[in-house]
Amino acid sequence: MKLESISAADKDANQSGVGKKFLIISISLTVVLNFSIAIWFLMNDMGRFLVK
């Protein structure tokens, strides 16, 4: 019985590791996208888009 619980814990640990990697990748891609949009606004005269 003890071996079964250990193998189940290993499977959960591997799945959570993949989830953490996916979370880190998705957050980093979101940050990169936000910075690229901010740079685009700064290069294209942001006041033109905000003030009418």
Side-chain angles (χ1 to χ4, degrees):
M1 284 299 234
K2 199 166 194 172
L3 290 176
E4 291 175 5
S5 64
I6 290 172
S7 65
D10 284 342
K11 288 179 183 176
D12 291 339
N14 288 339
Q15 288 174 353
S16 67
V18 172
K20 286 179 184 177
K21 288 179 186 178
F22 178 77
L23 185 65
I24 290 170
I25 291 171
S26 62
I27 289 174
S28 61
L29 286 175
T30 303
V31 169
V32 168
L33 180 66
N34 287 339
F35 273 120
S36 64
I37 291 171
I39 290 170
W40 183 85
F41 269 110
L42 290 174
M43 290 175 61
N44 289 311
D45 190 19
M46 185 167 43
R48 181 176 57 170
F49 295 102
L50 297 178
V51 179
K52 292 199 175 195

